Coordinates of all heavy atoms in Angstrom, one line a residue:
M1 N -14.7 -73.9 -58.6 CA -14.5 -74.9 -59.7 C -13.9 -74.2 -60.9 O -14.3 -73.0 -61.2 CB -15.9 -75.5 -60.0 CG -15.7 -76.5 -61.1 SD -17.2 -77.7 -61.3 CE -18.3 -76.6 -62.0
S2 N -13.0 -74.8 -61.5 CA -12.4 -74.1 -62.7 C -13.1 -74.5 -63.9 O -13.7 -75.5 -64.1 CB -10.8 -74.5 -62.6 OG -10.5 -75.1 -63.8
R3 N -13.1 -73.5 -64.8 CA -13.7 -73.6 -66.1 C -12.6 -73.6 -67.2 O -11.5 -73.2 -66.9 CB -14.7 -72.4 -66.4 CG -15.7 -72.2 -65.3 CD -16.8 -73.2 -65.3 NE -17.8 -72.9 -64.3 CZ -18.7 -73.7 -64.0 NH1 -18.8 -74.9 -64.6 NH2 -19.6 -73.3 -63.1
T4 N -13.0 -73.8 -68.4 CA -12.0 -73.6 -69.5 C -12.4 -72.5 -70.4 O -13.6 -72.2 -70.7 CB -11.8 -74.9 -70.3 OG1 -13.1 -75.2 -70.9 CG2 -11.4 -76.1 -69.4
L5 N -11.4 -71.9 -70.9 CA -11.5 -70.8 -71.9 C -10.7 -71.2 -73.2 O -9.5 -71.5 -73.1 CB -11.0 -69.5 -71.4 CG -10.6 -68.4 -72.4 CD1 -11.8 -68.0 -73.1 CD2 -9.9 -67.2 -71.7
R6 N -11.5 -71.4 -74.3 CA -10.8 -71.6 -75.5 C -10.8 -70.4 -76.3 O -11.8 -69.7 -76.4 CB -11.5 -72.7 -76.3 CG -10.6 -73.2 -77.5 CD -11.1 -74.6 -78.1 NE -12.1 -74.3 -79.1 CZ -13.3 -74.8 -79.1 NH1 -13.8 -75.6 -78.1 NH2 -14.2 -74.4 -80.0
I7 N -9.7 -70.1 -76.9 CA -9.5 -68.8 -77.7 C -9.3 -69.2 -79.2 O -8.4 -69.9 -79.4 CB -8.3 -68.0 -77.2 CG1 -8.7 -67.6 -75.7 CG2 -8.1 -66.7 -78.0 CD1 -7.5 -67.0 -75.0
E8 N -10.2 -68.7 -79.9 CA -10.2 -69.0 -81.4 C -9.9 -67.7 -82.2 O -10.3 -66.6 -81.7 CB -11.5 -69.5 -81.9 CG -11.8 -70.9 -81.2 CD -10.9 -72.1 -81.7 OE1 -9.9 -71.8 -82.5 OE2 -11.1 -73.2 -81.2
P9 N -9.2 -67.7 -83.3 CA -8.8 -68.9 -84.1 C -7.5 -69.5 -83.6 O -7.0 -70.4 -84.2 CB -8.7 -68.4 -85.5 CG -8.4 -66.9 -85.4 CD -9.1 -66.5 -84.1
L10 N -6.9 -68.9 -82.5 CA -5.6 -69.4 -82.0 C -5.7 -71.0 -81.6 O -4.7 -71.7 -81.8 CB -5.3 -68.7 -80.8 CG -3.8 -68.5 -80.4 CD1 -2.9 -68.0 -81.5 CD2 -3.7 -67.7 -79.0
G11 N -6.8 -71.4 -81.2 CA -7.0 -72.8 -80.9 C -6.4 -73.2 -79.6 O -6.1 -74.4 -79.4
R12 N -6.2 -72.2 -78.7 CA -5.6 -72.7 -77.3 C -6.7 -72.6 -76.2 O -7.6 -71.8 -76.3 CB -4.6 -71.6 -76.9 CG -3.3 -71.6 -77.8 CD -2.6 -73.0 -77.6 NE -1.5 -73.0 -78.6 CZ -0.2 -73.1 -78.2 NH1 0.1 -73.1 -77.0 NH2 0.7 -73.2 -79.1
T13 N -6.5 -73.5 -75.2 CA -7.4 -73.6 -74.2 C -6.7 -73.4 -72.8 O -5.6 -73.9 -72.7 CB -8.1 -75.0 -74.1 OG1 -8.8 -75.1 -75.4 CG2 -9.1 -75.1 -73.0
V14 N -7.2 -72.6 -72.0 CA -6.6 -72.3 -70.6 C -7.7 -72.6 -69.6 O -8.9 -72.5 -69.9 CB -6.1 -70.8 -70.5 CG1 -5.0 -70.6 -71.6 CG2 -7.1 -69.8 -70.6
A15 N -7.2 -72.7 -68.4 CA -8.1 -73.0 -67.2 C -8.5 -71.5 -66.6 O -7.6 -70.6 -66.7 CB -7.4 -73.7 -66.2
V16 N -9.7 -71.4 -66.2 CA -10.1 -70.1 -65.6 C -10.6 -70.5 -64.2 O -11.6 -71.1 -64.0 CB -11.3 -69.5 -66.4 CG1 -11.6 -68.1 -65.8 CG2 -10.9 -69.3 -67.9
E17 N -9.8 -70.0 -63.1 CA -10.2 -70.3 -61.8 C -11.4 -69.3 -61.3 O -11.5 -68.3 -61.9 CB -9.1 -70.1 -60.9 CG -7.8 -71.0 -61.2 CD -8.2 -72.5 -61.1 OE1 -9.1 -72.9 -60.3 OE2 -7.6 -73.3 -61.9
E18 N -12.1 -69.8 -60.4 CA -13.2 -68.9 -59.9 C -12.6 -67.5 -59.4 O -11.6 -67.5 -58.8 CB -13.7 -69.7 -58.6 CG -14.9 -68.9 -58.0 CD -16.2 -69.0 -58.8 OE1 -16.4 -69.9 -59.5 OE2 -16.8 -68.0 -58.8
G19 N -13.3 -66.5 -59.8 CA -12.9 -65.2 -59.4 C -11.9 -64.6 -60.3 O -11.4 -63.4 -60.2
T20 N -11.4 -65.3 -61.3 CA -10.3 -64.9 -62.2 C -11.0 -64.5 -63.6 O -11.9 -65.2 -64.0 CB -9.3 -65.9 -62.5 OG1 -8.7 -66.3 -61.3 CG2 -8.3 -65.5 -63.5
T21 N -10.7 -63.3 -64.1 CA -11.3 -62.9 -65.3 C -10.8 -63.7 -66.5 O -9.7 -64.2 -66.4 CB -11.1 -61.4 -65.6 OG1 -9.7 -61.1 -65.9 CG2 -11.7 -60.5 -64.5
L22 N -11.4 -63.6 -67.7 CA -11.0 -64.3 -68.8 C -9.6 -63.7 -69.3 O -8.7 -64.4 -69.7 CB -12.0 -64.2 -70.0 CG -13.4 -64.7 -69.7 CD1 -14.2 -64.7 -71.0 CD2 -13.4 -66.1 -69.1
L23 N -9.6 -62.4 -69.1 CA -8.3 -61.8 -69.5 C -7.1 -62.2 -68.6 O -6.1 -62.6 -69.1 CB -8.5 -60.2 -69.4 CG -7.1 -59.4 -69.8 CD1 -6.7 -59.6 -71.2 CD2 -7.3 -58.0 -69.4
E24 N -7.4 -62.2 -67.3 CA -6.3 -62.6 -66.4 C -5.9 -64.0 -66.6 O -4.6 -64.3 -66.7 CB -6.8 -62.5 -64.9 CG -7.0 -61.0 -64.5 CD -7.8 -60.9 -63.2 OE1 -8.5 -61.9 -62.8 OE2 -7.8 -59.8 -62.6
A25 N -6.8 -64.9 -66.9 CA -6.5 -66.3 -67.1 C -5.7 -66.5 -68.4 O -4.7 -67.2 -68.4 CB -7.9 -67.1 -67.2
A26 N -6.1 -65.8 -69.5 CA -5.3 -66.0 -70.7 C -3.8 -65.4 -70.5 O -2.9 -66.0 -70.9 CB -6.0 -65.1 -71.8
L27 N -3.8 -64.2 -70.0 CA -2.4 -63.6 -69.8 C -1.5 -64.6 -68.9 O -0.3 -64.7 -69.2 CB -2.5 -62.2 -69.2 CG -3.2 -61.1 -70.0 CD1 -3.4 -59.9 -69.3 CD2 -2.3 -60.9 -71.4
A28 N -2.1 -65.0 -67.8 CA -1.3 -65.9 -66.9 C -0.9 -67.2 -67.6 O 0.1 -67.8 -67.1 CB -2.1 -66.2 -65.7
Q29 N -1.5 -67.5 -68.6 CA -1.2 -68.8 -69.3 C -0.6 -68.7 -70.7 O -0.8 -69.5 -71.5 CB -2.4 -69.7 -69.2 CG -2.7 -70.1 -67.8 CD -4.1 -70.8 -67.6 OE1 -4.3 -71.9 -67.9 NE2 -5.1 -70.0 -67.1
G30 N 0.0 -67.5 -70.9 CA 0.8 -67.3 -72.1 C 0.1 -66.9 -73.4 O 0.7 -66.9 -74.4
I31 N -1.1 -66.3 -73.2 CA -1.8 -65.7 -74.4 C -2.1 -64.3 -74.2 O -2.6 -63.8 -73.1 CB -3.2 -66.5 -74.5 CG1 -2.9 -68.0 -74.8 CG2 -4.0 -65.9 -75.7 CD1 -4.1 -68.9 -74.8
K32 N -1.6 -63.5 -75.2 CA -1.7 -62.1 -75.2 C -3.0 -61.7 -75.7 O -3.3 -61.9 -76.9 CB -0.5 -61.5 -75.9 CG -0.1 -60.2 -75.5 CD 1.1 -59.6 -76.0 CE 1.9 -60.4 -77.0 NZ 3.0 -59.5 -77.7
L33 N -3.9 -61.1 -74.9 CA -5.1 -60.5 -75.4 C -5.0 -58.9 -75.3 O -4.3 -58.6 -74.2 CB -6.3 -60.9 -74.6 CG -6.8 -62.4 -74.7 CD1 -8.0 -62.7 -73.8 CD2 -7.1 -62.8 -76.1
R34 N -5.4 -58.2 -76.2 CA -5.2 -56.8 -76.1 C -6.1 -56.2 -74.9 O -7.2 -56.7 -74.7 CB -5.7 -56.1 -77.4 CG -4.7 -56.4 -78.5 CD -5.2 -55.9 -79.8 NE -5.2 -54.5 -79.8 CZ -4.9 -53.7 -80.9 NH1 -4.6 -54.4 -82.0 NH2 -5.0 -52.5 -80.9
S35 N -5.5 -55.2 -74.2 CA -6.3 -54.7 -73.1 C -5.6 -53.3 -72.7 O -4.6 -53.1 -73.1 CB -6.2 -55.6 -71.9 OG -4.9 -55.7 -71.4
S36 N -6.4 -52.6 -72.0 CA -5.8 -51.3 -71.5 C -6.3 -51.0 -70.0 O -5.7 -51.3 -69.1 CB -6.2 -50.1 -72.5 OG -5.8 -49.0 -72.1
C37 N -7.7 -50.5 -70.0 CA -8.1 -50.1 -68.7 C -8.2 -51.4 -67.6 O -8.0 -51.1 -66.5 CB -9.4 -49.4 -68.7 SG -10.8 -50.5 -69.1
R38 N -8.6 -52.4 -68.2 CA -8.9 -53.6 -67.3 C -10.0 -53.4 -66.3 O -10.1 -54.1 -65.3 CB -7.6 -54.1 -66.7 CG -6.5 -54.5 -67.7 CD -5.5 -55.3 -67.2 NE -4.5 -55.5 -68.2 CZ -3.4 -56.3 -68.1 NH1 -3.1 -56.8 -66.9 NH2 -2.6 -56.5 -69.0
N39 N -10.8 -52.5 -66.6 CA -12.1 -52.2 -65.7 C -13.3 -52.1 -66.4 O -14.3 -51.6 -65.9 CB -11.8 -51.1 -64.7 CG -11.7 -49.7 -65.5 OD1 -12.1 -49.7 -66.6 ND2 -11.1 -48.7 -64.8
G40 N -13.4 -52.5 -67.6 CA -14.6 -52.6 -68.4 C -15.1 -51.3 -69.0 O -16.3 -51.1 -69.4
T41 N -14.2 -50.3 -69.1 CA -14.6 -49.0 -69.7 C -14.1 -48.7 -71.2 O -14.8 -48.2 -71.9 CB -14.4 -47.8 -68.8 OG1 -13.0 -47.8 -68.5 CG2 -15.2 -48.0 -67.6
C42 N -12.8 -49.1 -71.4 CA -12.1 -48.6 -72.7 C -12.6 -49.5 -73.9 O -12.4 -49.0 -75.0 CB -10.6 -48.6 -72.5 SG -9.9 -50.2 -72.6
R43 N -12.9 -50.7 -73.7 CA -13.4 -51.5 -74.7 C -12.3 -52.2 -75.6 O -12.5 -52.7 -76.6 CB -14.4 -50.9 -75.6 CG -15.7 -50.5 -74.9 CD -16.5 -49.5 -75.6 NE -16.8 -50.0 -77.0 CZ -17.8 -50.8 -77.4 NH1 -18.7 -51.1 -76.6 NH2 -17.9 -51.1 -78.6
E44 N -11.0 -51.9 -75.2 CA -9.9 -52.3 -76.0 C -10.0 -53.9 -76.1 O -9.5 -54.4 -77.1 CB -8.6 -51.9 -75.4 CG -7.3 -52.4 -76.0 CD -7.1 -51.8 -77.4 OE1 -7.8 -50.8 -77.8 OE2 -6.3 -52.4 -78.2
C45 N -10.4 -54.6 -75.1 CA -10.4 -56.0 -75.0 C -11.6 -56.7 -75.7 O -11.6 -57.9 -75.7 CB -10.3 -56.4 -73.6 SG -11.7 -56.0 -72.6
I46 N -12.6 -55.9 -76.3 CA -13.8 -56.5 -76.6 C -13.6 -57.8 -77.6 O -12.7 -57.7 -78.4 CB -14.7 -55.5 -77.4 CG1 -16.1 -56.0 -77.6 CG2 -14.1 -55.0 -78.7 CD1 -17.0 -54.8 -77.9
A47 N -14.4 -58.7 -77.4 CA -14.2 -60.0 -78.2 C -15.6 -60.7 -78.2 O -16.5 -60.3 -77.4 CB -13.2 -60.9 -77.5
Q48 N -15.8 -61.6 -79.0 CA -17.1 -62.3 -79.2 C -17.2 -63.6 -78.5 O -16.1 -64.4 -78.7 CB -17.5 -62.5 -80.6 CG -19.0 -62.7 -80.8 CD -19.4 -62.4 -82.2 OE1 -18.5 -62.4 -83.1 NE2 -20.7 -62.3 -82.4
L49 N -18.1 -63.8 -77.6 CA -18.3 -65.1 -76.9 C -19.1 -66.0 -77.8 O -20.2 -65.7 -78.1 CB -19.1 -64.8 -75.6 CG -19.1 -65.9 -74.5 CD1 -17.7 -66.1 -74.0 CD2 -20.0 -65.5 -73.4
T50 N -18.5 -67.1 -78.4 CA -19.3 -67.9 -79.3 C -19.9 -69.1 -78.6 O -20.8 -69.7 -79.1 CB -18.4 -68.3 -80.4 OG1 -17.2 -69.1 -79.9 CG2 -17.9 -67.2 -81.3
E51 N -19.4 -69.4 -77.4 CA -20.1 -70.6 -76.6 C -19.9 -70.2 -75.2 O -18.9 -69.6 -74.7 CB -19.3 -71.9 -76.9 CG -19.6 -72.5 -78.2 CD -18.9 -73.8 -78.4 OE1 -18.7 -74.6 -77.4 OE2 -18.4 -74.0 -79.5
G52 N -20.8 -70.6 -74.4 CA -20.7 -70.4 -72.9 C -21.4 -69.2 -72.3 O -22.0 -68.4 -73.2
R53 N -21.2 -69.0 -71.1 CA -22.0 -67.8 -70.4 C -20.9 -67.1 -69.4 O -20.1 -67.8 -68.8 CB -23.1 -68.4 -69.7 CG -24.2 -67.5 -69.5 CD -25.5 -68.2 -68.9 NE -25.1 -68.9 -67.6 CZ -25.2 -70.2 -67.5 NH1 -25.6 -71.0 -68.4 NH2 -24.8 -70.8 -66.4
V54 N -21.0 -65.8 -69.4 CA -20.2 -65.1 -68.4 C -21.1 -64.3 -67.5 O -22.2 -64.0 -67.9 CB -19.1 -64.2 -69.2 CG1 -18.2 -65.1 -69.9 CG2 -19.8 -63.2 -70.0
R55 N -20.6 -63.8 -66.4 CA -21.1 -62.7 -65.7 C -20.0 -61.7 -65.5 O -18.8 -62.0 -65.8 CB -21.7 -63.2 -64.3 CG -20.7 -63.8 -63.4 CD -21.4 -64.4 -62.1 NE -20.5 -65.4 -61.6 CZ -19.5 -65.2 -60.8 NH1 -19.3 -64.0 -60.3 NH2 -18.7 -66.1 -60.2
Y56 N -20.3 -60.6 -64.9 CA -19.4 -59.5 -64.9 C -19.0 -59.1 -63.5 O -20.0 -59.1 -62.6 CB -19.9 -58.3 -65.7 CG -19.9 -58.5 -67.2 CD1 -21.0 -58.9 -67.8 CD2 -18.7 -58.5 -67.9 CE1 -21.1 -59.2 -69.2 CE2 -18.7 -58.7 -69.2 CZ -19.8 -59.2 -69.9 OH -19.8 -59.4 -71.2
R57 N -17.8 -58.7 -63.4 CA -17.3 -58.1 -62.1 C -17.9 -56.8 -61.7 O -17.9 -56.4 -60.6 CB -15.8 -57.9 -62.1 CG -15.0 -58.9 -61.4 CD -13.5 -58.4 -61.4 NE -12.8 -59.5 -60.9 CZ -11.4 -59.6 -61.1 NH1 -10.8 -58.7 -61.6 NH2 -10.8 -60.7 -60.6
I58 N -18.3 -56.1 -62.7 CA -18.9 -54.8 -62.5 C -20.3 -54.7 -63.0 O -20.7 -55.6 -63.8 CB -18.1 -53.7 -63.2 CG1 -18.1 -53.9 -64.8 CG2 -16.6 -53.6 -62.7 CD1 -17.4 -52.8 -65.6
E59 N -21.1 -53.7 -62.6 CA -22.5 -53.7 -62.8 C -22.9 -53.4 -64.3 O -23.7 -53.9 -64.9 CB -23.2 -52.8 -61.9 CG -24.7 -53.2 -61.7 CD -25.3 -52.5 -60.5 OE1 -24.5 -52.2 -59.6 OE2 -26.5 -52.3 -60.5
W60 N -22.0 -52.3 -64.9 CA -22.3 -51.8 -66.1 C -21.1 -51.9 -67.0 O -20.5 -50.9 -67.3 CB -22.8 -50.4 -66.1 CG -24.0 -50.2 -65.2 CD1 -24.1 -49.6 -64.0 CD2 -25.3 -50.7 -65.6 NE1 -25.4 -49.7 -63.5 CE2 -26.2 -50.3 -64.4 CE3 -25.9 -51.3 -66.7 CZ2 -27.6 -50.6 -64.5 CZ3 -27.3 -51.6 -66.6 CH2 -28.1 -51.2 -65.5
P61 N -20.8 -53.1 -67.6 CA -19.7 -53.2 -68.5 C -20.0 -52.3 -69.8 O -21.1 -52.3 -70.1 CB -19.4 -54.7 -68.8 CG -20.8 -55.2 -68.4 CD -21.4 -54.4 -67.3
G62 N -18.9 -51.8 -70.3 CA -19.2 -50.8 -71.5 C -19.6 -51.4 -72.8 O -18.9 -51.4 -73.8
L63 N -20.7 -52.2 -72.8 CA -21.3 -52.8 -74.0 C -22.7 -52.3 -74.2 O -23.5 -52.2 -73.2 CB -21.4 -54.3 -73.7 CG -20.1 -55.1 -73.7 CD1 -20.3 -56.6 -73.1 CD2 -19.4 -55.2 -75.0
S64 N -23.1 -52.1 -75.4 CA -24.5 -51.7 -75.8 C -25.4 -53.0 -75.7 O -24.9 -54.1 -75.8 CB -24.6 -51.2 -77.1 OG -24.4 -52.1 -78.1
P65 N -26.7 -52.8 -75.5 CA -27.6 -53.9 -75.5 C -27.5 -54.8 -76.8 O -27.5 -56.0 -76.7 CB -28.9 -53.3 -75.4 CG -28.7 -52.0 -74.7 CD -27.3 -51.6 -75.2
D66 N -27.2 -54.1 -78.0 CA -27.0 -54.8 -79.2 C -25.8 -55.7 -79.2 O -25.8 -56.9 -79.7 CB -26.9 -53.8 -80.4 CG -28.3 -53.3 -80.8 OD1 -29.3 -53.8 -80.3 OD2 -28.3 -52.4 -81.7
E67 N -24.7 -55.1 -78.7 CA -23.4 -55.9 -78.7 C -23.6 -57.1 -77.7 O -23.2 -58.2 -78.0 CB -22.3 -55.0 -78.1 CG -21.9 -54.0 -79.1 CD -20.9 -53.0 -78.6 OE1 -21.0 -52.7 -77.3 OE2 -20.2 -52.4 -79.3
K68 N -24.3 -56.9 -76.6 CA -24.5 -58.1 -75.8 C -25.3 -59.1 -76.4 O -25.1 -60.3 -76.3 CB -25.2 -57.6 -74.4 CG -24.4 -56.9 -73.4 CD -25.2 -56.6 -72.2 CE -24.4 -55.8 -71.2 NZ -25.1 -55.3 -70.1
A69 N -26.4 -58.7 -77.1 CA -27.3 -59.6 -77.9 C -26.5 -60.4 -78.9 O -26.8 -61.5 -79.2 CB -28.4 -58.9 -78.5
E70 N -25.5 -59.7 -79.5 CA -24.6 -60.4 -80.4 C -23.6 -61.2 -79.9 O -22.7 -61.8 -80.6 CB -24.0 -59.3 -81.4 CG -25.1 -58.6 -82.4 CD -24.6 -57.5 -83.1 OE1 -23.3 -57.4 -83.2 OE2 -25.5 -56.6 -83.4
G71 N -23.5 -61.3 -78.6 CA -22.4 -62.1 -77.9 C -21.2 -61.4 -77.6 O -20.1 -62.1 -77.2
F72 N -21.0 -60.1 -77.8 CA -19.8 -59.5 -77.5 C -19.6 -59.4 -76.0 O -20.6 -59.3 -75.2 CB -19.6 -58.1 -78.1 CG -19.4 -58.1 -79.5 CD1 -20.4 -58.1 -80.4 CD2 -18.1 -58.3 -80.0 CE1 -20.2 -58.2 -81.8 CE2 -17.9 -58.4 -81.4 CZ -19.0 -58.4 -82.3
T73 N -18.3 -59.5 -75.5 CA -18.0 -59.5 -74.2 C -16.7 -58.6 -73.9 O -16.0 -58.5 -74.8 CB -17.9 -60.9 -73.5 OG1 -17.8 -60.8 -72.2 CG2 -16.7 -61.7 -74.2
L74 N -16.5 -58.3 -72.7 CA -15.3 -57.6 -72.3 C -14.5 -58.5 -71.3 O -14.9 -58.6 -70.1 CB -15.6 -56.3 -71.5 CG -16.3 -55.3 -72.4 CD1 -16.7 -54.0 -71.6 CD2 -15.4 -54.8 -73.6
P75 N -13.5 -59.2 -71.9 CA -12.8 -60.2 -71.1 C -12.1 -59.8 -69.8 O -11.9 -60.5 -68.9 CB -11.8 -60.8 -72.1 CG -12.3 -60.4 -73.4 CD -13.1 -59.2 -73.2
C76 N -11.9 -58.4 -69.8 CA -11.2 -58.0 -68.6 C -12.0 -57.9 -67.4 O -11.5 -57.8 -66.2 CB -10.6 -56.6 -68.8 SG -11.8 -55.3 -69.0
V77 N -13.3 -58.0 -67.5 CA -14.2 -58.0 -66.4 C -15.2 -59.1 -66.4 O -16.2 -59.2 -65.7 CB -15.0 -56.7 -66.3 CG1 -14.2 -55.6 -65.7 CG2 -15.8 -56.3 -67.6
A78 N -15.0 -60.1 -67.3 CA -15.8 -61.2 -67.5 C -15.4 -62.5 -66.7 O -14.2 -62.8 -66.8 CB -16.0 -61.6 -69.0
L79 N -16.3 -63.1 -65.9 CA -16.0 -64.3 -65.1 C -16.8 -65.4 -65.8 O -17.9 -65.3 -66.1 CB -16.4 -64.1 -63.7 CG -15.9 -62.9 -63.0 CD1 -16.6 -62.6 -61.7 CD2 -14.4 -63.1 -62.7
A80 N -16.1 -66.6 -66.0 CA -16.8 -67.7 -66.7 C -17.8 -68.4 -65.8 O -17.4 -68.8 -64.7 CB -15.8 -68.6 -67.2
E81 N -19.0 -68.5 -66.2 CA -20.0 -69.3 -65.5 C -20.2 -70.7 -66.1 O -20.7 -71.6 -65.4 CB -21.4 -68.6 -65.6 CG -21.5 -67.3 -64.9 CD -23.0 -67.0 -64.5 OE1 -23.8 -67.2 -65.5 OE2 -23.2 -66.6 -63.4
T82 N -19.6 -70.9 -67.2 CA -19.6 -72.2 -67.9 C -18.2 -72.3 -68.6 O -17.5 -71.3 -68.6 CB -20.6 -72.4 -68.9 OG1 -20.5 -71.5 -69.9 CG2 -22.0 -72.2 -68.3
D83 N -17.9 -73.4 -69.2 CA -16.7 -73.4 -70.2 C -17.1 -72.5 -71.2 O -18.2 -72.3 -71.7 CB -16.4 -74.8 -70.7 CG -16.1 -75.7 -69.6 OD1 -15.6 -75.3 -68.6 OD2 -16.1 -77.0 -69.9
V84 N -16.1 -71.6 -71.7 CA -16.5 -70.6 -72.8 C -15.5 -70.7 -73.9 O -14.4 -71.1 -73.8 CB -16.4 -69.2 -72.1 CG1 -17.5 -69.0 -71.1 CG2 -15.1 -68.9 -71.6
V85 N -15.9 -70.2 -75.1 CA -15.1 -70.0 -76.3 C -15.2 -68.5 -76.7 O -16.2 -68.0 -76.8 CB -15.6 -70.9 -77.4 CG1 -14.7 -70.7 -78.6 CG2 -15.6 -72.4 -77.0
L86 N -14.0 -68.0 -76.9 CA -13.9 -66.6 -77.2 C -13.3 -66.4 -78.6 O -12.4 -67.1 -78.9 CB -13.0 -65.9 -76.2 CG -13.0 -64.4 -75.9 CD1 -14.3 -64.0 -75.4 CD2 -12.0 -64.0 -75.0
L87 N -13.9 -65.6 -79.5 CA -13.4 -65.4 -80.8 C -12.6 -64.0 -80.8 O -13.3 -63.0 -80.5 CB -14.6 -65.3 -81.8 CG -14.2 -65.1 -83.2 CD1 -13.4 -66.2 -83.8 CD2 -15.4 -64.9 -84.1
Q88 N -11.4 -64.1 -80.8 CA -10.5 -62.9 -80.8 C -9.4 -63.1 -81.8 O -8.3 -63.5 -81.4 CB -10.1 -62.6 -79.4 CG -9.2 -61.5 -79.2 CD -9.6 -60.2 -79.9 OE1 -9.4 -60.1 -81.2 NE2 -10.2 -59.4 -79.2
P89 N -9.5 -62.7 -83.0 CA -8.5 -62.9 -84.1 C -7.2 -62.2 -83.7 O -6.1 -62.5 -84.2 CB -9.1 -62.3 -85.3 CG -10.6 -62.3 -85.0 CD -10.8 -62.0 -83.6
R90 N -7.2 -61.1 -82.8 CA -6.0 -60.5 -82.5 C -5.2 -61.1 -81.4 O -4.1 -60.7 -80.9 CB -6.3 -59.0 -82.1 CG -6.9 -58.2 -83.2 CD -7.2 -56.8 -82.8 NE -8.0 -56.7 -81.6 CZ -8.4 -55.6 -81.0 NH1 -8.0 -54.4 -81.5 NH2 -9.1 -55.6 -80.0
A91 N -5.7 -62.2 -80.8 CA -5.0 -62.9 -79.7 C -3.7 -63.5 -80.3 O -3.6 -64.0 -81.4 CB -5.8 -64.0 -79.1
E92 N -2.6 -63.5 -79.5 CA -1.4 -64.2 -79.9 C -0.7 -64.8 -78.7 O -1.0 -64.5 -77.5 CB -0.3 -63.1 -80.5 CG -0.8 -61.8 -80.6 CD 0.2 -60.8 -81.2 OE1 1.2 -60.4 -80.4 OE2 0.2 -60.5 -82.4
L93 N 0.2 -65.7 -79.0 CA 1.0 -66.4 -77.9 C 2.0 -65.4 -77.5 O 2.6 -64.6 -78.3 CB 1.7 -67.6 -78.4 CG 0.8 -68.7 -78.9 CD1 1.6 -69.9 -79.4 CD2 -0.1 -69.2 -77.7
K94 N 2.3 -65.4 -76.2 CA 3.3 -64.4 -75.5 C 4.7 -65.0 -76.1 O 4.9 -66.2 -76.2 CB 3.3 -64.5 -74.1 CG 2.2 -63.6 -73.5 CD 2.5 -63.6 -71.9 CE 1.4 -62.9 -71.2 NZ 1.6 -63.0 -69.8
D95 N 5.7 -64.0 -76.2 CA 7.0 -64.5 -76.5 C 7.6 -65.4 -75.5 O 7.4 -65.3 -74.4 CB 7.8 -63.2 -76.8 CG 7.3 -62.3 -77.8 OD1 6.6 -62.8 -78.7 OD2 7.5 -61.1 -77.6
Ligands
FES1 S1 -9.4 -53.5 -71.2 FE1 -10.6 -51.8 -71.1 S2 -12.6 -52.6 -71.3 FE2 -11.4 -54.4 -71.1

């Protein structure tokens, strides 16, 4: 079942298919999110989840317990369990 990902403050919403990460879904649908390793270690993609719930493709994504408690997530390894809203001021539309 597909979920939705809204990216703020850009105000764009994309579909997230089962098994697709938030990063992959955004990039495939014209939204540039910063990333590098794409395996949950470099933290380049870190963003705040303001609504919804994710699970991770890997067991230990590079987030501290405090960051998790504050809602930070790594979109490159995050799978949407519900419709989600991501706060990422550096997101931009692809050319
Ligand atoms: S791109 Fe490296 S942690 Fe997400």
Side-chain angles (χ1 to χ4, degrees):
M1 180 164 76
S2 119
R3 309 284 187 190
T4 62
L5 160 63
R6 191 167 87 235
I7 299 170
E8 297 292 0
L10 203 55
R12 292 295 174 113
T13 301
V14 299
V16 186
E17 301 301 328
E18 182 67 35
T20 301
T21 66
L22 303 186
L23 176 67
E24 291 165 342
L27 292 175
Q29 293 166 80
I31 297 171
K32 212 173 356 172
L33 293 180
R34 290 172 71 142
S35 66
S36 180
C37 72
R38 299 191 182 184
N39 65 19
T41 55
C42 77
R43 299 165 49 90
E44 178 67 18
C45 64
I46 195 165
Q48 200 165 12
L49 194 69
T50 58
E51 283 179 40
R53 209 173 52 243
V54 296
R55 63 188 156 84
Y56 289 100
R57 249 189 193 167
I58 59 172
E59 206 164 333
W60 301 108
L63 291 168
S64 71
D66 282 352
E67 287 169 334
K68 282 187 187 169
E70 289 167 24
F72 284 97
T73 186
L74 295 175
C76 69
V77 287
L79 304 167
E81 288 202 319
T82 63
D83 292 346
V84 295
V85 179
L86 202 61
L87 182 64
Q88 177 46 279
R90 297 182 305 177
E92 359 178 276
L93 294 178
K94 279 190 188 171
D95 301 330

